[in-house]
């Protein structure tokens, strides 16, 4: 039920080469999203960890559209680090009122 934890597990699975299991868990979470609340932000983070960047942006835009509180962490959440240089990222920062300069974390 805690999709923030599921997102962390999917990230760990992807990082350790278990992408098939990670994808299975994301598909299950997306299936659940059709009948219950699953934070679009967490689904976006899951998709980022699997390298599915276009799908990640779709979920993150939905998070913006529904004004999910988790999106406010986009400025510092490590799960979004891989997309900070993407030209679409400033749009997400603007959604939560953050400056539109996407910088890498050191």
């Amino acid at each position: 039920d805690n999709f923030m934890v599921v997102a962390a597990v999917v990230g760990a699975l992807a990082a350790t080469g278990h992408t098939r299991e990670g994808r299975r868990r994301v598909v299950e979470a997306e299936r659940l999203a059709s009948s219950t609340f699953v934070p679009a932000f967490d689904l976006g983070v899951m998709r980022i960890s699997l390298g599915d960047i276009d799908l990640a942006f779709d979920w993150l835009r939905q998070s913006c559209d529904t004004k999910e509180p988790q999106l406010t962490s986009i400025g510092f959440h490590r799960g979004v680090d891989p997309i900070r240089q993407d030209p679409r990222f400033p749009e997400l920062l603007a959604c939560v009122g953050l400056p539109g300069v996407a910088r890498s974390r050191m």
Side-chain angles (χ1 to χ4, degrees):
D1 290 344
N2 188 330
F3 292 100
M4 187 183 311
V5 172
V6 175
V9 169
V10 169
L13 288 167
T16 58
H18 296 92
T19 54
R20 177 181 241 169
E21 177 62 15
R23 286 189 190 287
R24 187 191 69 73
R25 291 180 187 227
V26 172
V27 168
E28 176 65 18
E30 289 174 338
R31 186 188 65 72
L32 284 171
S34 67
S35 61
T36 190
F37 177 72
V38 177
F41 181 81
D42 293 335
L43 290 167
V45 170
M46 290 181 215
R47 285 297 182 176
I48 291 168
S49 67
L50 292 169
D52 301 331
I53 304 306
D54 291 336
L55 289 172
F57 272 100
D58 290 344
W59 284 115
L60 294 171
R61 283 189 193 105
Q62 183 175 332
S63 179
C64 177
D65 292 345
T66 58
K67 300 184 182 349
E68 288 182 351
Q70 297 99 310
L71 189 63
T72 60
S73 70
I74 200 162
F76 59 85
H77 193 291
R78 288 203 175 271
V80 300
D81 284 354
I83 65 169
R84 290 189 190 283
Q85 298 304 317
D86 190 289
R88 299 170 284 187
F89 191 73
E91 168 191 338
L92 297 173
L93 292 174
C95 177
V96 294
L98 294 171
V101 178
R103 289 185 275 179
S104 296
R105 294 179 67 126
M106 298 189 106

